[in-house]
Amino acid sequence: MNSEPHKDPLQSTHEPGEDNLRLFGFELHFPVFFISAFLMVLFVFGAMMFPEIAQDRLDESRDWSIRNFDWLFMSAANIFVLFCLALIFLPVGRIRLGGSDAVPAFSRLSWFAMLFAAGMGIGLMFWSVAEPVAYFTDWFGTPLGVEAGTAEARRMALGATLYHWGLHPWAIYGLVALALAFFSYNKGMPLTIRSAFYPVLGERVWGWPGHVIDVVAVLATVFGLATSLGLGARQAGAGLEYLLDIPNELNSQLAIIAGVTCVAIYSVLRGIHGGVRVLSNINMCLAALLLVFVLVAGPTLAILAAMGTTAGAYVQNILPLSGFIGREDETWFHGWTVFYWAWWISWSPFVGMFIARVSRGRTVREFMTAVLLVPTLVTVVWLAAFGGTALEQIQAGVGELTEGLSDEALAMFQMLDNLPLGMITSMVAVALVLIFFITSADSGSLVVDSITAGGKLDAPVGQRVFWAAMIGLIAGSLLFVGGEAALSALQAGAITTGLPFTLVLLAMCFTLYRGLNQERRLLQG
């Protein structure tokens, strides 16, 4: 009987930062940093010089991807949910990220706060009111073709919104995050996207196949963050104009971008514990206070009922909403669901890597339960409170939302304006939006820095400052020269990257399970 220990087939000799060039105190991975920088400059220059042409071409590319590959986006998203749920119950769920002796660096509360802030906190601030109102009033189609303004439309509006912000997006993020965390913490590989493909590519992953994967991840992260920061400045500017009559013009939007970038740089200098963690905790406290206020000052009984309605409609319609054959609601289906899936997938390198960065010491089961189920349950409560209150106001004929969704950036403020202390709560909402942007810029700079530094976790802090400043500079430059057309072009470009990256994530399911299963056999001896 052979008593020798099993040889680890996933043990690589490649060290994080092994291929780095050291220039001016920076550690730059060759050639990922230089290719990414060149393509970034080329893309941004083209979008600034020819914003309308860039927008038209990239919009066509995005629409082509969504129209012709809706089946791929939908099938893949469903596979990701089933795969992540299975990991909670399979024996591999006992594996601890970082080894059996690894200890989490953050408390569960701080961990949850950072997951939510990086994942979709800003999106829920913006869409938790606007999206249900859009579905209920047929602003751009209705889910499953229900008749707008009816009781069924109200149920479907809440359930379909939760569908877009529940298990599916978090499964996408969770898959990427777990793969990165496992191959980095348990196998000693660099914390970069390419490491997840070692079971398939072997040592070739440190060559050009891996370079291509990491370059795509860098571009998707930077362009996605710059787009969100630029468009978010318009949203925050709209809120300030609505509340304080400060004109929502180019100068005020650039000032918002500059302010967010400066605070993000300060947060970078403080590090994860003193920066992102503190800001995320502050944000979650403010969000909790705002939630409690709406629960008390709003239609409390209707909100409590809406929690059951939202969860029930979600469970009841998750299968019809997840299908792609014979859909009668094609305008809504392509314009919302497929668009969302492409957007979440394009953002998965950023959010997934950040979640991996803060999740060492958790078991696979604890990790997936927290990443998949906890945010979904929180979203049920948040959506019922904010979206449910807005729909209640519409049905009661109260406020501006009764006239329909005039500007999605104002929907949250229009809802709060009909509650007591509307000015104060709206200012809190603006503060939440801005802090969410700051945490996104900070955590995004950490992610890009890790990839372009060859997976090193202790690269010079100046590199993260550089990337935080670059994200703000790109957003501000595009807005200044090309206006919203340039930013929309950038967003369309980021979404288009979701198509090839969908194939990357499907392959990641195979490599991750293979790695986890081999790790389980090694631990069993």
Side-chain angles (χ1 to χ4, degrees):
M1 183 176 192
N2 187 2
S3 59
E4 293 183 8
H6 291 285
K7 182 181 181 295
D8 188 350
L10 299 180
Q11 194 64 45
S12 172
T13 59
H14 194 89
E15 295 292 330
E18 182 177 311
D19 302 321
N20 287 357
L21 294 178
R22 289 159 180 81
L23 298 172
F24 309 110
F26 284 13
E27 292 195 27
L28 311 176
H29 184 273
F30 181 83
V32 171
F33 176 88
F34 300 96
I35 295 176
S36 300
F38 172 75
L39 293 176
M40 213 175 298
V41 170
L42 184 66
F43 195 101
V44 171
F45 179 79
M48 288 195 298
M49 294 298 99
F50 312 102
E52 286 79 14
I53 295 175
Q55 183 182 12
D56 290 343
R57 296 295 178 269
L58 287 167
D59 281 350
E60 290 172 4
S61 176
R62 178 200 62 200
D63 294 341
W64 178 84
S65 299
I66 288 176
R67 184 175 59 256
N68 291 285
F69 291 93
D70 54 359
W71 61 271
L72 177 61
F73 286 117
M74 297 298 290
S75 300
N78 295 335
I79 289 171
F80 300 149
V81 171
L82 295 174
F83 178 75
C84 291
L85 286 173
L87 291 181
I88 296 175
F89 301 101
L90 289 172
V92 296
R94 293 193 294 269
I95 296 172
R96 186 172 298 276
L97 299 175
S100 56
D101 297 328
V103 178
F106 304 95
S107 69
R108 278 198 175 91
L109 189 59
S110 292
W111 185 45
F112 290 153
M114 287 189 287
L115 297 183
F116 213 76
M120 54 184 59
I122 183 61
L124 279 177
M125 283 297 300
F126 185 70
W127 287 108
S128 60
V129 172
E131 195 168 334
V133 171
Y135 300 164
F136 183 71
T137 59
D138 194 5
W139 185 60
F140 189 68
T142 60
L144 300 182
V146 299
E147 184 182 351
T150 62
E152 180 57 25
R154 177 190 172 108
R155 278 178 47 82
M156 186 63 73
L158 293 170
T161 302
L162 179 60
Y163 174 69
H164 290 151
W165 297 86
L167 293 176
H168 284 77
W170 285 103
I172 294 169
Y173 293 160
L175 167 65
V176 176
L178 182 60
L180 296 177
F182 172 73
F183 286 105
S184 177
Y185 300 143
N186 293 70
K187 300 302 175 183
M189 298 183 193
L191 187 62
T192 61
I193 302 294
R194 71 173 74 194
S195 296
F197 295 90
Y198 187 86
V200 174
L201 297 175
E203 293 297 317
R204 288 175 297 166
V205 82
W206 314 124
W208 278 104
H211 298 336
V212 172
I213 292 171
D214 280 352
V215 167
V216 172
V218 170
L219 294 179
T221 299
V222 172
F223 290 160
L225 284 170
T227 302
S228 293
L229 185 57
L231 297 177
R234 181 183 70 85
Q235 298 159 12
L240 292 174
E241 183 178 39
Y242 184 78
L243 297 171
L244 304 175
D245 291 326
I246 298 174
N248 187 22
E249 299 173 343
L250 177 62
N251 288 339
S252 61
Q253 293 172 10
L254 291 175
I256 291 171
I257 290 175
V260 167
T261 302
C262 288
V263 179
I265 289 173
Y266 175 74
S267 178
V268 164
L269 294 171
R270 293 289 304 272
I272 291 183
H273 286 271
V276 176
R277 183 182 67 85
V278 172
L279 287 173
S280 297
N281 288 342
I282 291 173
N283 238 11
M284 295 311 291
C285 289
L286 287 176
L289 287 173
L290 187 60
L291 175 62
V292 170
F293 173 82
V294 173
L295 283 169
V296 174
T300 305
L301 294 179
I303 291 172
L304 295 175
M307 292 180 192
T309 299
T310 303
Y314 177 51
V315 172
Q316 181 181 352
N317 294 289
I318 190 169
L319 292 180
L321 290 170
S322 298
F324 55 87
I325 299 175
R327 293 287 291 259
E328 298 178 0
D329 55 344
E330 186 172 325
T331 299
W332 181 89
F333 168 56
H334 284 157
W336 289 98
T337 302
V338 183
F339 177 91
Y340 264 132
W341 288 180
W343 183 247
W344 297 141
I345 289 170
S346 72
W347 264 58
S348 62
F350 155 50
V351 180
M353 188 171 290
F354 178 75
I355 293 174
R357 182 70 177 82
V358 299
S359 298
R360 185 185 181 99
R362 310 290 176 181
T363 66
V364 170
R365 182 168 293 120
E366 179 187 13
F367 175 92
M368 252 333 150
T369 301
V371 173
L372 205 61
L373 302 181
V374 172
T376 301
L377 294 175
V378 172
T379 302
V380 169
V381 178
W382 184 273
L383 181 58
F386 290 85
T389 298
L391 295 181
E392 193 73 15
Q393 291 174 356
I394 292 174
Q395 291 185 303
V398 176
E400 297 178 60
L401 290 176
T402 56
E403 300 175 5
L405 197 63
S406 58
D407 185 347
E408 64 272 25
L410 293 177
M412 171 73 78
F413 306 112
Q414 291 170 334
M415 183 275 289
L416 291 173
D417 196 39
N418 297 309
L419 300 179
L421 305 176
M423 176 66 75
I424 295 174
T425 54
S426 292
M427 290 303 297
V428 171
V430 170
L432 276 168
V433 168
L434 292 176
I435 298 175
F436 273 127
F437 276 124
I438 292 166
T439 54
S440 293
D442 186 355
S443 53
S445 66
L446 181 149
V447 166
V448 177
D449 178 42
S450 178
I451 299 175
T452 56
K456 289 197 69 171
L457 301 181
D458 57 349
V461 70
Q463 291 181 208
R464 282 186 61 198
V465 171
F466 168 79
W467 283 114
M470 279 299 298
I471 291 167
L473 184 62
I474 290 172
S477 300
L478 286 170
L479 193 61
F480 180 75
V481 177
E484 289 189 29
L487 287 171
S488 296
L490 199 62
Q491 184 186 49
I495 291 170
T496 303
T497 63
L499 178 58
F501 220 76
T502 301
L503 301 176
V504 171
L505 296 194
L506 286 170
M508 194 178 285
C509 290
F510 170 74
T511 61
L512 174 59
Y513 183 74
R514 183 175 176 182
L516 289 171
N517 205 36
Q518 288 175 344
E519 179 78 354
R520 180 181 64 84
R521 288 203 296 266
L522 284 171
L523 293 174
Q524 290 177 343

